[in-house]
């Protein structure tokens, strides 16, 4: 065989190896904070049913500093849950990719892919599974990625004279975070259903379901 060429085989899921990953840490941060968010949200709703978004100054003038701080903390926890849910999903894909392909090949060919093409191409290469954009696993991770992108790629919206953009700018704080966790769990469970032998790579809470 010519120099610079070599045969490659996808690794078995039950082969020996040692890996360091942040999957369980990110998963526990995302899911563990949801109960905290529910408590914060219930406490705020008991005082005021306004679902404010920090940064909209026209709303801030109507509330006290103490209440505004409560809104800020609640929304920060909500955003944290969304971001770490997406990070947990991508960390799992990276973990799976390195286990099956080795770190060098995964880094060269997969690491910089977007989360949806990464998921589809890893399953195609490693498991001979071709998933369409309508597959439940792909729908879950695509929706989660979109939710995360809305936070980490922030856009500025200009309000018209009537301030109508404010209604579009608001988002349901508790529901947004809860949906992110649901999408994360849906993605991981669908992955497990597609690749049952990968169940031992899942966060501990989901391994117990297998």
């Amino acid at each position: 065989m010519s120099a610079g060429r070599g045969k490659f085989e996808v690794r078995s899921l039950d082969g020996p190896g040692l890996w360091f990953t942040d999957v369980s840490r990110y998963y526990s941060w995302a899911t563990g904070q949801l109960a905290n968010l529910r408590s914060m949200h219930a406490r705020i709703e008991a005082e005021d049913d306004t679902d404010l978004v920090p940064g909209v100054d026209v709303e801030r003038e109507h509330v006290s500093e103490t209440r505004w701080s409560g809104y800020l903390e609640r929304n920060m926890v909500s955003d944290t849950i969304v971001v770490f849910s997406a990070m947990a999903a991508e960390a799992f894909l990276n973990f799976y990719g390195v286990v099956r392909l080795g770190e060098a090949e995964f880094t060269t060919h997969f690491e910089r892919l977007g989360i949806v093409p990464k998921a589809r191409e890893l399953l195609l290469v490693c498991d001979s599974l071709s998933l369409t954009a309508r597959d439940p696993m792909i729908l879950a991770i695509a929706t989660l990625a979109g939710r995360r992108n809305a936070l980490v790629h922030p856009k500025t919206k200009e309000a018209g004279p009537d301030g109508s953009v404010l209604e579009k700018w608001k988002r349901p704080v508790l529901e947004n975070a809860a949906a992110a966790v649901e999408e994360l769990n849906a993605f991981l469970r669908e992955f497990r259903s597609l690749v049952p032998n990968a169940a031992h790579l899942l966060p501990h809470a989901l391994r117990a379901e297998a």
Side-chain angles (χ1 to χ4, degrees):
M1 186 171 290
S2 301
R5 299 178 184 177
K7 290 185 177 181
F8 178 78
E9 292 184 3
V10 175
R11 298 177 181 178
S12 168
L13 276 164
D14 57 6
L18 178 65
W19 302 272
F20 297 93
T21 176
D22 292 309
V23 176
S24 292
R25 181 162 63 102
Y26 295 159
Y27 182 86
S28 64
W29 286 353
T31 58
Q33 282 298 309
L34 188 56
N36 182 34
L37 177 63
R38 292 187 192 279
S39 297
M40 296 170 66
H41 193 74
R43 185 173 66 250
I44 289 174
E45 282 200 325
E47 300 173 355
D48 189 336
D49 61 2
T50 303
D51 202 13
L52 298 180
V53 175
V56 183
D57 291 336
V58 69
E59 300 277 15
R60 181 171 184 171
E61 65 187 32
H62 301 301
V63 299
S64 68
E65 285 297 323
T66 299
R67 182 167 293 179
W68 185 256
S69 295
Y71 293 139
L72 285 173
E73 184 179 4
R74 178 199 61 181
N75 291 10
M76 178 184 67
V77 172
S78 175
D79 290 349
T80 297
I81 290 169
V82 172
V83 171
F84 277 109
S85 292
M87 289 175 67
E90 186 156 19
F92 175 78
L93 284 175
N94 293 345
F95 181 28
Y96 182 77
V98 171
V99 169
R100 299 304 305 276
L101 304 172
E103 185 175 356
E105 294 295 339
F106 174 80
T107 301
T108 299
H109 301 288
F110 292 89
E111 185 178 47
R112 294 186 178 276
L113 294 176
I115 193 168
V116 171
K118 182 184 292 185
R120 294 178 68 177
E121 293 186 31
L122 277 174
L123 287 174
L124 183 65
V125 170
C126 298
D127 302 284
S128 300
L129 293 171
S130 178
L131 306 185
T132 71
R134 298 186 302 275
D135 183 89
M137 191 198 83
I138 299 303
L139 287 173
I141 200 170
T143 306
L144 176 56
R147 208 178 290 278
R148 183 271 315 272
N149 290 345
L151 291 175
V152 300
H153 302 297
K155 297 181 180 180
T156 297
K157 302 293 184 181
E158 185 172 10
D162 60 353
S164 57
V165 74
L166 292 177
E167 291 304 316
K168 297 180 180 179
W169 193 254
K170 294 179 181 179
R171 61 181 176 273
V173 176
L174 175 59
E175 292 82 352
N176 195 48
V181 172
E182 289 177 6
E183 289 151 6
L184 168 61
N185 283 326
F187 159 69
L188 292 171
R189 289 177 177 130
E190 289 292 337
F191 195 102
R192 183 182 62 200
S193 72
L194 290 167
V195 191
N197 290 342
H200 64 289
L201 304 180
L202 294 169
H204 290 282
L206 294 180
R207 290 183 207 174
E209 298 179 357

